[in-house]
Amino acid sequence: MAFIECRQLTRSYKKGNTPITPLEDLDLDIEEGTFTALMGPSGSGKTTLLNLIAGIDTPTSGSLMVAGIDLAKLSRSQLAHWRADTIGYIFQLYNLIPVLTAYENIELPLLLHSLSAKERYMKVAAALELVGLADRHDHFPNQLSGGQEQRVAIARAIVSDPKIIVADEPTGDLDRVAAAEILSLLRMINREVGRTLVMVTHDPKSTEYAQRTLHLDKGKLLEREPVADHPSALRS
Amino acid sequence: MSAIRYLPLVVKYVLRYRGRSVLTIGGVATAMFLFYAVQAMHHGVQEATEATSKDTKLVVYRQDRYCPFSSNLPQDYEGRIASIGGVKSVLPIKIAVNNCRTGLDVVTFRGIPLGAVDNGALDHVRFAEGSIQNWKQRSDAALIGGRLAAKRGLKVGDRVDLGGITVYVAGIINSPEPQDQSVAYSHLDFTQRASGNKPGLVTQFNVAVDDPARMDYVAKAIDVEFRNAQEPTSTWSEKAFVARAAADIVEIVGFARWLGWGCVIGVFALVFNAIVLSVQDRIRDHAVMQTVGFPQRLVAELIIGESLILSLTGGLLGLAAALGLTLWGNLSLSVEGLSIHVQTDAASILVGLVLSVFTGVLAGLVPAWHASQREISACFRAV
C-alpha cells in the first residue's frame, strides 16, 4: 500500500445553488519520502486534493488512506489530533498569526504536545536554525520580509516533526530569488530530514525541485512522471 | 477547562490587541463601577431601614413633623416615657443639622445629656482616639463618628466649625450603629444653645425597649401617653423612622438598582460586540490553529477565555474604583439628620464578580461556537 493512496476520490460542494466538483474519481499513489509537485490551471482541484491529504477537508466519496489511516472514518476531533501528529502545512500567504512573534508562531503546534517549555524551546530553536532565522525569533510577522515569513511558516510546519509536509504554492507570493531559497529549503527537508512533501505550484520552474510532477485538470489526473524520468531532478 | 494550559496564548491576544482590549476593559470597568456604586447605596439603605427581630430602639418624634428643625418636644417627657412598662432607657436628643435636605455633606449634631452618658448611652461605641473623660470636661466637646472624622481629616484636640457650630474634638468613635458613623455627639445644653433653641426642648427621644417583641406595644403606649399633650408624639422603630424620613432616597435607590442591572446588560453587549468583531477579524488565525491541529473545542475555549479575561479584568477594575470611592470617600447620604452610608459590602462584591465571570463566558459562547464550527477550507476561501 502506498503512503498516500486515493481511490475514486471525489470532493464536491455547493456554492449558492451551483454544485461544484473540484475533484472527481481521482486515483493516486504517493510513496513515503518523495517530493511530489501538483500542477494545473486554476480550478483544477490541486488545492482541494492538498487539503484532503492534509485532513482539513473531507472527501464526498471514495477513499483516502494516508500513512495507513482512512481519513474518511475520522471524526473532526480525531482529524485534528491526526493533523497535529502527521501534517505540516505551508500556505501561499504564510498565514502567520500577526500578534505572535516568529518564535511563538513556530511554537503553536507544539502546544498540542506534552512537552515542557524547555523541550519546546529546543525544538523551536532547532527549526529556526534550520530555516536560517535564529536571530529573528522575537520579530513579529510585519517585521519580516515575505521570504522570511515563509521560512517561519516552514519552521512551523516542520517543528513537530510531521510525517507529511504539504505546501500550497509556497513561492506564489515571493520574488524569484526568495522562491529559489524556499524551494531549496523544501528539497533539503525532503532529502535530509526524509519527510514526504506534496507541493501545489503554478510555476513550472518549481517542479524542477520535485522528484515527481502530477498534472491535474478539471479534477482529474492527466499524467504521471516517474522520478527517474524527470530531467531536472537528475540535474539538482 | 483545558484552556487554562493555553492561558499565556489568550493573554498574548488580550495584551497585543491593546486598543481593542483597553477600550473594552475600560467600558466594562465603568459599567461595573456604576453597578457596584448602586449596590453600595442599596446596601446602605437596606442596613439603615430593614427591620430585624433583634431591633429594640424606638424614636419618639413630634407628631406631624418631619424635620429636626420643626420637631420640638419638651425635655421633661423623658420621665413620663421612662415610666411606661417595657421601656429600658430613654435618651433625649437635640439634633442640629446644617440643612434639612438630602445631601452628601450634611453634618448632624446629636446633643445628649451628661447624665445619659453616665447611664451607658454611649457604651456601644469604641474610641479610636480620645476618651469620654475628654468629652465630659468641656461643654463644647464633641465625639466625632469615624466616617465624618475621616472625611474631614479631624483628630483629637482640633477645634472645628461643623455646619456653623464650633466644637472641640474630644474623641473619634467607631460604632456598630449605622447612625453613629457620621454624627457629632455633643452636650445637650450646648447643642440647644448653638442651634438657637430654648433650653428644655429636644428633637426626639431614643427609647430602648427591654424586649424586641414589645416594640409595637411600647410605641403605642408612648403615643397614647402624649395624645392630649400640647406636643403630641409619633413613635416609630428606629429603622421604620429612617425608612419614612428617607422614603424619597429609598425610591430613587430602588430605581437606580435597575440602572445597575442595565449596566450588567451593557457589559454583556460590550464584551459580546468586542468578541464578535475580533472573531470575524481572526477567521484566518482560527483556521490556521485548526490546521496545525487545535481541536474545535480548544479554539472555542480560547475565545471564551479571552472574553472572560476582558470581562473579569474590567469587573475587577470597576470594583477597585468603587471600593476606593466608598472606602476613602467616606460617602454618606444624609436626610433630615439621618445618615445612610454608601458602602460596598461583601455580598455585592461577590455578586459583581460572579456577574463579570458569567457575562464574560456568556458573551464568548456564541462567537466561540460559530468560530469552531466553520470548515477550515471554507475559512481560507473566505479571506
Side-chain angles (χ1 to χ4, degrees):
Chain A
M1 181 186 280
F3 193 58
I4 300 171
E5 186 184 280
C6 309
R7 293 289 176 267
Q8 293 186 297
L9 189 64
T10 299
R11 175 69 172 113
S12 58
Y13 57 88
K14 279 191 172 180
K15 202 168 190 176
N17 286 327
T18 314
I20 294 174
T21 306
L23 218 56
E24 195 172 6
D25 289 334
L26 186 93
D27 290 327
L28 171 67
D29 289 338
I30 295 174
E31 297 303 325
E32 189 170 7
T34 56
F35 185 170
T36 304
L38 296 173
M39 281 199 78
S42 291
S44 61
K46 307 181 298 291
T47 298
T48 303
L49 176 58
L50 201 72
N51 288 346
L52 288 169
I53 291 171
I56 64 172
D57 202 356
T58 47
T60 308
S61 64
S63 76
L64 172 59
M65 302 285 288
V66 180
I69 304 287
D70 185 351
L71 298 192
K73 288 185 178 166
L74 298 183
S75 66
R76 279 189 78 163
S77 169
Q78 288 171 323
L79 264 178
H81 288 110
W82 177 83
R83 281 194 302 273
D85 292 336
T86 317
I87 297 293
Y89 202 116
I90 301 165
F91 302 90
Q92 178 184 353
L93 295 174
Y94 333 127
N95 282 342
L96 299 179
I97 292 176
V99 291
L100 300 182
T101 63
Y103 178 93
E104 290 159 351
N105 266 287
I106 298 166
E107 190 190 28
L108 202 59
L110 296 178
L111 297 176
L112 298 162
H113 298 269
S114 305
L115 297 170
S116 65
K118 191 179 176 186
E119 287 170 320
R120 291 202 302 271
Y121 174 80
M122 302 291 280
K123 280 180 174 284
V124 174
L128 274 166
E129 188 73 41
L130 188 73
V131 299
L133 287 177
D135 57 338
R136 301 294 175 108
H137 65 97
D138 58 349
H139 283 52
F140 286 93
N142 64 4
Q143 297 169 318
L144 300 169
S145 68
Q148 288 170 333
E149 279 194 79
Q150 194 59 296
R151 283 168 182 271
V152 173
I154 291 170
R156 182 178 64 190
I158 63 172
V159 73
S160 56
D161 206 16
K163 293 179 181 136
I164 304 167
I165 294 165
V166 295
D168 188 3
E169 300 191 45
T171 59
D173 207 44
L174 299 176
D175 62 47
R176 193 153 287 280
V177 176
E181 286 174 2
I182 293 298
L183 288 164
S184 299
L185 185 58
L186 291 177
R187 187 172 58 194
M188 186 267 284
I189 290 166
N190 167 248
R191 289 190 175 171
E192 294 180 18
V193 188
R195 296 289 156 247
T196 305
L197 231 145
V198 183
M199 174 179 75
V200 163
T201 182
H202 269 117
D203 178 12
K205 276 207 169 294
S206 298
T207 64
E208 293 177 5
Y209 292 81
Q211 295 160 315
R212 182 187 183 199
T213 302
L214 303 171
H215 290 266
L216 282 167
D217 191 23
K218 292 177 185 167
K220 292 183 182 292
L221 205 56
L222 289 185
E223 64 178 282
R224 299 165 184 228
E225 286 187 349
V227 174
D229 293 347
H230 199 300
S232 58
L234 298 173
R235 226 178 20 247
S236 59
Chain B
M1 195 173 174
S2 62
I4 288 169
R5 190 178 154 199
Y6 299 89
L7 190 62
L9 186 61
V10 179
V11 171
K12 280 171 197 164
Y13 265 104
V14 171
L15 293 179
R16 291 175 188 173
Y17 282 104
R18 204 171 303 153
R20 189 271 329 239
S21 297
V22 166
L23 288 173
T24 308
I25 290 171
V28 172
T30 307
M32 288 310 291
F33 165 74
L34 291 174
F35 173 80
Y36 285 119
V38 168
Q39 288 296 319
M41 280 198 283
H42 173 71
H43 174 70
V45 166
Q46 212 172 23
E47 194 180 50
T49 61
E50 210 167 77
T52 70
S53 59
K54 292 178 182 169
D55 292 342
T56 56
K57 279 193 179 168
L58 295 170
V59 174
V60 182
Y61 222 59
R62 170 68 168 82
Q63 194 182 69
D64 299 329
R65 298 289 187 273
Y66 303 100
C67 171
F69 283 129
S70 55
S71 175
N72 289 307
L73 293 170
Q75 193 176 338
D76 58 18
Y77 278 13
E78 180 183 358
R80 290 169 68 183
I81 295 172
S83 65
I84 292 172
V87 172
K88 190 175 166 189
S89 66
V90 183
L91 179 62
I93 296 178
K94 177 64 192 173
I95 303 280
V97 289
N98 55 347
N99 74 61
C100 224
R101 291 170 297 175
T102 304
L104 288 168
D105 197 31
V106 176
V107 178
T108 304
F109 280 94
R110 291 184 159 207
I112 55 173
L114 196 59
V117 174
D118 291 332
N119 290 334
L122 291 179
D123 281 357
H124 61 287
V125 305
R126 285 179 291 105
F127 279 82
E129 278 182 59
S131 68
I132 197 71
Q133 293 310 320
N134 279 358
W135 186 78
K136 285 179 176 174
Q137 282 165 9
R138 292 182 63 144
S139 63
D140 63 344
L143 300 175
I144 310 289
R147 271 181 177 251
L148 178 60
K151 194 172 179 180
R152 299 285 181 119
L154 301 178
K155 57 184 188 301
V156 170
D158 289 349
R159 267 187 75 78
V160 61
D161 184 317
L162 296 171
I165 301 174
T166 304
V167 290
Y168 166 81
V169 179
I172 310 290
I173 56 169
N174 290 316
S175 162
E177 300 288 332
Q179 293 304 324
D180 286 344
Q181 302 295 323
S182 296
V183 299
Y185 279 105
S186 50
H187 291 271
L188 178 60
D189 50 354
F190 171 82
T191 316
Q192 284 167 333
R193 283 196 309 274
S195 60
N197 281 128
K198 285 184 247 173
L201 288 180
V202 296
T203 308
Q204 66 189 56
F205 294 91
N206 280 13
V207 177
V209 176
D210 55 13
D211 180 3
R214 299 185 72 189
M215 291 273 282
D216 288 344
Y217 165 78
V218 174
K220 272 185 192 162
I222 293 170
D223 290 344
V224 167
E225 171 73 21
F226 300 105
R227 187 173 47 196
N228 299 316
Q230 194 174 353
E231 306 289 347
T233 60
S234 215
T235 305
W236 313 67
S237 75
E238 187 181 49
K239 288 187 174 172
F241 177 73
V242 176
R244 178 197 61 83
D248 291 344
I249 292 182
V250 172
E251 200 169 318
I252 290 167
V253 170
F255 173 70
R257 281 197 94 193
W258 289 106
L259 298 181
W261 289 108
C263 288
V264 175
I265 294 170
V267 167
F268 171 76
L270 188 66
V271 178
F272 182 77
N273 182 56
I275 295 298
V276 165
L277 291 178
S278 71
V279 165
Q280 281 173 356
D281 261 3
R282 288 188 227 152
I283 288 176
R284 194 168 61 178
D285 289 8
H286 294 140
V288 168
M289 284 181 180
Q290 292 198 56
T291 301
V292 302
F294 279 57
Q296 293 165 282
R297 184 191 166 95
L298 178 55
V299 171
E301 286 175 356
L302 293 176
I303 293 167
I304 292 169
E306 192 174 339
S307 175
L308 178 60
I309 286 178
L310 290 173
S311 181
L312 190 56
T313 308
L316 287 169
L317 287 176
L319 171 62
L323 279 177
L325 184 74
T326 55
L327 286 178
W328 288 294
N330 290 299
L331 297 178
S332 58
L333 283 164
S334 290
V335 53
E336 297 181 16
L338 299 163
S339 298
I340 293 172
H341 303 293
V342 180
Q343 54 190 6
T344 311
D345 63 312
S348 297
I349 292 171
L350 190 65
V351 167
L353 291 178
V354 169
L355 281 173
S356 296
V357 171
F358 181 70
T359 50
V361 171
L362 198 65
L365 273 180
V366 174
W369 188 80
H370 275 293
S372 65
Q373 292 304 310
R374 286 195 189 107
E375 280 194 24
I376 305 172
S377 51
C379 292
F380 288 124
R381 278 199 297 271
V383 290

